[in-house]
Amino acid sequence: MSLPAQTLAVRLPRALLDPGGHPNAALLPAGDAEGLLSVTLTLADGRIAAIEPRQPSSSAEATCPEALPLALPPLLEPHAHLDKAFSWTDFPNRDGSMAGALEANTREAAVRSTALVLERGERALDQAWRYGLRALRSHIDSGGPQEQPSWEALLELQQRWDGRLALQLTALVPLAHWATAEGEALARRVAAAGGLLGGVLGPPFSEGYSHGDQLQHLLQLADRHGCGLDLHIDESDRQPGRGLRLLLRELKRSPVAVPITCSHCSSLALLPEEQQRRLAAGLAERNVAVVVLPTTNLWMLGRRHGLTGPLRPIAPLKLLQQEGVCAAIGGDNVQDPWYPGGDFDPVELLRLSLPALQLPPWLRQGLMPFTTAASRLLGLDWDGVLRPGGPADLLVLGASSWSELLARPTQRRVLRAGRWLEPPHSQRPDPRLASLGETPPNAG
Ligand SMILES: [Zn+2]
């Protein structure tokens, strides 16, 4: 059933607007001090029919344009772990260490079932969609008894969510696994499912250990099967940049044609700037993209004997951008042994990332990691720029400026193909609070 045309007045980042072939295209002015422009969108048949600069309809709006809601295109999650999401309660990691997380993760994976992963994944994707995500890449613990049930569940969810939320799947195993017969068989199955190959490359790097050979084997395997690669690399506060250096060395030895993503790259930030730039330029030259993951890095890295250490490295996003690397931001772990929080909410991730990475949302570079760069990294058809003829998909916020968005958590409405979604559970009235009744007469 087609919808009648409707109009919507919102404030949009000018950097994410393309007036396209509209007759008023030349009239679409620059953004204000926060890079925002008040526009009227005409929506018809699930698509944007026109974008026009807003003519104030009232004197109040003329003097106070910020009364309109801030809107964004739906956002993207380039790095998640749906298979273990929401497992924190049963498998907590109270000391927040990597070793503790790995130990709890291993115990959890041993009891994973198809039904459990289906339940976790469905809950995660439903929340993600209602929060305003349109695509998500998940890594899946593979190479053990959890492999079969996890892939079975997530492949079913990929089908179930097709057309609403694009789900990409990456096999996560120890690097050495890809050289085994089981690893070869897994690569064939992943390739048949259109997935990606992944692995972990990080400290301890010891002399004589064959990281380079293992990595070279994985690169060739991915290339042979035509699978993209997404590596957890240098997620550490020591031996800075060793994994990236190794990757570039192996790519120089034998280049591959498949797209490569490096997730984390945290310890890169600990190198002197000149070395960071050299490695970043090498990544750009080889078309290697980076996913920056501030939440889990802030939670796990730099802990020192029960104290908060002075260094909690996060990949140097702005430097990577300056050197021409396609860099996106992801949420990583959600309520699992690696991080107890998170909720697949891209707005909360944006609110954390702006201060954590000192990003300016009023500039194109500040928004790219959540929108256009993330879309390019995921190889999606829509770049995330709003234009006539594009999808009538919007994330409309209960805030009118970046300052207001940073000031407090916000409500939102999500529009997909011209229709409003029901809000996620977290945005509905909380029954735990409603049951408390009215304010007591003697309060305050
Ligand atoms: Zn991860």
Side-chain angles (χ1 to χ4, degrees), residues 79 81 139 232 264 293 332-333:
H79 186 119
H81 292 265
H139 295 254
H232 281 69
H264 288 289
L293 299 157
D332 208 354
N333 306 96

